[in-house]
Amino acid sequence: MIFAQCLALFIPFVSLSVNALGQNGDYAISDTITGEAFYTRFDWETMDDPTHGRVNYVDEKTSRQQNLTYASDDTFILRADHKSVVKSTARGRNSVRIISKKTYTTHVAIFDVRHMPQGCGTWPAIWETQGDDWPTGGEIDIVEGANDQGPNAATLHTTPGCSMPFYQRGTGAPGQLDCNWQVNSNTGCGVRFGGGMSYGPNFNANRGGWFALERTNDHISVWFWPRNATVIPNEIEDVNGDTFTLSTTKWGTPAAYFPNTDCNMKKYFGEHNIIINLTLCGDWAGSTYSQTKCPSSCVDFVNNNPSSFSKAYFDIGSIRIYEPRS
Ligand SMILES: *[C@@H]1O[C@H](CO)[C@@H](O)[C@H](O)[C@H]1NC(C)=O
Ligand SMILES: *[C@@H]1O[C@H](CO)[C@@H](O)[C@H](O)[C@H]1NC(C)=O
Ligand SMILES: *[C@@H]1O[C@H](CO)[C@@H](O)[C@H](O)[C@H]1NC(C)=O
């Protein structure tokens, strides 16, 4: 009885202070991006791939003409070309890189992904960074891998002075702890998810799933629920499309958890755009290509085997972004 009374007094106080901080709990919807909305919420980027991939990023008009991007009511497809042989003198195979017009600091982003690019030489990514200021403003990779080799990796890349402790890294397996991009050729501090359904052919065979990012000034967390997970939080599934507010407190242990113990989050992470890109070969997929069962060399394979890229596409149901309520 005494205990219950104490609780009753205590709970309102706790929830007030959480609201005031705008952390760990209380977010309101700020954008829902689905189907055609991708065309108004993102810009198409056509620069040379900074990671030296065998790609030619095309503009929006070309991507529509060649059906490299395609939108319907609840689908957005982004793909590499799977029809043409690429001349050795060309910049690379046609593909797409899009960047959100809006930027975000502390927020939650939920990505409903049905299919991700699959095939030898592919290096797809869903990530966030501060416009063209890289590495100032940091980088958060939410979905990333290469050459169909799972599980998914979530990784931070920063300027010098941010690192992760060896404990408490979520349910996945931690790699390098120093997030400094200058260490080990920009490996970053990453976590490989547990379970095999988070990346590549397994992810696709399972009809994908949901990735969610939470960024606060205390921590950065990334969760993953496969499509057939036994427990999926209501706000993640959002079957009725009416999740206007949410709290991440009941989402369970994230696959990747990056605390601020040795990293001043506010200092190392800036105003982030969301970027979705599909590159081929390059710094990661190219350098690890020979360790896989993929044939010939990465660049030759990409140039000469268009039909091998028929599954090199993202099918995204929606992106929902939530920001702190106050
Ligand atoms: C594609 O995404 C990854 C995200 O990890 C990034 O490191 C890389 O620079 C990107 N490539 C291009 C060309 O944007
Ligand atoms: C474009 O791509 C979509 C999605 O893959 C497909 O449904 C549609 O038939 C394609 N359109 C053409 C003209 O090929
Ligand atoms: C989901 O499906 C995959 C592939 O069929 C299977 O390995 C996994 O056990 C399933 N998970 C659950 C929770 O049913």
Side-chain angles (χ1 to χ4, degrees):
M1 196 57 190
I2 290 167
F3 180 62
Q5 273 167 1
C6 284
L7 262 186
L9 281 174
F10 192 59
I11 284 169
F13 176 71
V14 168
S15 58
L16 257 184
S17 69
V18 168
N19 277 349
L21 287 170
Q23 284 178 358
N24 298 331
D26 224 355
Y27 297 91
I29 190 83
S30 87
D31 216 349
T32 299
I33 307 172
T34 182
E36 291 284 339
F38 278 83
Y39 289 114
T40 55
R41 305 297 212 290
F42 283 85
D43 288 321
W44 270 234
E45 295 193 298
T46 59
M47 75 278 249
D48 285 347
D49 180 357
T51 54
H52 314 105
R54 187 78 191 130
V55 285
N56 177 43
Y57 285 128
V58 301
D59 60 16
E60 182 186 335
K61 191 169 162 225
T62 310
S63 82
R64 284 180 186 253
Q65 276 167 353
Q66 300 186 358
N67 210 25
L68 302 182
T69 55
Y70 167 86
S72 69
D73 280 358
D74 66 344
T75 303
F76 181 72
I77 307 280
L78 179 157
R79 66 177 313 139
D81 167 69
H82 65 291
K83 292 183 178 154
S84 312
V85 168
V86 178
K87 290 200 184 91
S88 60
T89 51
R91 190 161 72 145
R93 178 165 295 286
N94 285 358
S95 186
V96 180
R97 173 183 163 116
I98 61 175
I99 181 166
S100 67
K101 291 180 182 172
K102 271 201 207 167
T103 59
Y104 307 92
T105 55
T106 54
H107 67 292
V108 167
I110 302 171
F111 302 85
D112 177 357
V113 182
R114 300 193 189 96
H115 189 281
M116 67 167 73
Q118 168 178 339
C120 287
T122 55
W123 172 9
I126 299 178
W127 55 297
E128 299 191 348
T129 194
Q130 182 169 298
D132 299 324
D133 281 349
W134 196 93
T136 308
E139 168 179 339
I140 305 172
D141 301 323
I142 301 154
V143 176
E144 196 179 17
N147 298 313
D148 292 346
Q149 309 291 301
N152 185 60
T155 307
L156 309 182
H157 303 262
T158 66
T159 50
C162 166
S163 64
M164 292 298 129
F166 64 90
Y167 55 91
Q168 254 201 332
R169 301 290 303 284
T171 59
Q176 180 176 297
L177 301 177
D178 193 341
C179 310
N180 178 2
W181 72 280
Q182 291 160 324
V183 173
N184 267 330
S185 322
N186 189 23
T187 298
C189 53
V191 174
R192 286 274 188 175
F193 290 12
M197 293 295 145
S198 58
Y199 189 79
N202 289 344
F203 174 90
N204 293 336
N206 205 30
R207 294 173 296 121
W210 296 265
F211 294 91
L213 165 76
E214 181 182 36
R215 172 180 161 194
T216 73
N217 290 326
D218 268 358
H219 62 263
I220 290 168
S221 296
V222 183
W223 288 263
F224 171 65
W225 293 271
R227 191 71 58 191
N228 64 345
T230 29
V231 180
I232 301 168
N234 283 338
E235 339 37 0
I236 293 296
E237 271 193 296
D238 189 29
V239 278
N240 300 316
D242 58 1
T243 305
F244 298 121
T245 61
L246 60 74
S247 147
T248 62
T249 49
K250 293 195 181 130
W251 289 3
T253 309
Y257 177 72
F258 303 99
N260 68 351
T261 38
D262 299 297
C263 181
N264 179 339
M265 297 282 170
K266 214 168 171 172
K267 174 174 169 201
Y268 286 97
F269 296 91
E271 289 271 348
H272 277 185
N273 303 85
I274 297 171
I275 303 182
I276 303 175
N277 66 341
L278 168 55
T279 195
L280 305 168
C281 307
D283 295 344
W284 183 354
S287 65
T288 56
Y289 190 85
S290 63
Q291 296 151 30
T292 65
K293 290 187 180 124
C294 293
S296 79
S297 76
C298 195
V299 168
D300 281 347
F301 184 78
V302 167
N303 286 351
N304 298 313
N305 297 281
S307 62
S308 299
F309 295 89
S310 62
K311 292 184 182 165
Y313 67 91
F314 277 109
D315 176 347
I316 300 176
S318 66
I319 301 175
R320 283 177 286 144
I321 296 123
Y322 294 79
E323 292 184 277
R325 283 174 88 178
S326 54

Short mmCIF file of all heavy atoms in Angstrom, two decimals, residues 197 202 205-206 226 228-230, ligand 3:
data_model
loop_
_atom_site.label_atom_id
_atom_site.label_comp_id
_atom_site.label_asym_id
_atom_site.label_seq_id
_atom_site.Cartn_x
_atom_site.Cartn_y
_atom_site.Cartn_z
N MET A 197 18.75 -12.60 -40.85
CA MET A 197 17.69 -12.10 -41.73
C MET A 197 17.83 -10.61 -42.06
O MET A 197 16.96 -10.05 -42.71
CB MET A 197 16.33 -12.30 -41.06
CG MET A 197 15.94 -13.75 -40.89
SD MET A 197 15.71 -14.52 -42.50
CE MET A 197 16.33 -16.14 -42.15
N ASN A 202 18.88 -13.39 -47.75
CA ASN A 202 18.02 -13.89 -46.66
C ASN A 202 16.95 -12.86 -46.30
O ASN A 202 15.79 -13.21 -46.09
CB ASN A 202 18.83 -14.15 -45.39
CG ASN A 202 19.72 -15.36 -45.52
OD1 ASN A 202 19.53 -16.17 -46.43
ND2 ASN A 202 20.69 -15.47 -44.64
N ALA A 205 14.35 -12.93 -49.11
CA ALA A 205 13.52 -14.14 -49.13
C ALA A 205 12.48 -14.07 -48.03
O ALA A 205 11.40 -14.66 -48.13
CB ALA A 205 14.40 -15.38 -48.94
N ASN A 206 12.79 -13.33 -46.98
CA ASN A 206 11.90 -13.20 -45.83
C ASN A 206 10.98 -11.98 -45.95
O ASN A 206 10.38 -11.57 -44.97
CB ASN A 206 12.79 -13.09 -44.58
CG ASN A 206 12.10 -13.53 -43.33
OD1 ASN A 206 11.23 -14.39 -43.36
ND2 ASN A 206 12.48 -12.93 -42.21
N PRO A 226 12.73 -8.54 -38.44
CA PRO A 226 12.39 -9.20 -39.71
C PRO A 226 10.88 -9.23 -39.89
O PRO A 226 10.14 -9.14 -38.91
CB PRO A 226 12.94 -10.63 -39.53
CG PRO A 226 13.44 -10.75 -38.15
CD PRO A 226 13.34 -9.43 -37.45
N ASN A 228 8.77 -11.45 -40.34
CA ASN A 228 8.03 -12.48 -39.61
C ASN A 228 8.41 -12.56 -38.13
O ASN A 228 8.19 -13.58 -37.49
CB ASN A 228 8.25 -13.85 -40.27
CG ASN A 228 9.70 -14.30 -40.19
OD1 ASN A 228 10.60 -13.50 -39.90
ND2 ASN A 228 9.96 -15.58 -40.43
N ALA A 229 8.99 -11.50 -37.56
CA ALA A 229 9.35 -11.52 -36.14
C ALA A 229 8.12 -11.81 -35.29
O ALA A 229 7.01 -11.39 -35.64
CB ALA A 229 9.97 -10.18 -35.73
N THR A 230 8.29 -12.54 -34.20
CA THR A 230 7.13 -12.90 -33.38
C THR A 230 6.60 -11.68 -32.62
O THR A 230 5.40 -11.54 -32.43
CB THR A 230 7.47 -14.04 -32.38
OG1 THR A 230 8.85 -13.95 -32.08
CG2 THR A 230 7.16 -15.38 -32.98
C1 LIG B 3 11.18 -16.29 -40.28
O1 LIG B 3 11.48 -16.95 -41.49
C2 LIG B 3 12.80 -17.43 -41.60
C3 LIG B 3 13.02 -17.94 -42.99
O2 LIG B 3 12.00 -18.78 -43.42
C4 LIG B 3 13.06 -18.48 -40.53
O3 LIG B 3 14.38 -18.94 -40.60
C5 LIG B 3 12.80 -17.85 -39.17
O4 LIG B 3 12.93 -18.82 -38.16
C6 LIG B 3 11.41 -17.23 -39.13
N1 LIG B 3 11.26 -16.53 -37.86
C7 LIG B 3 10.18 -16.67 -37.10
C8 LIG B 3 10.17 -15.91 -35.83
O5 LIG B 3 9.24 -17.37 -37.42
#
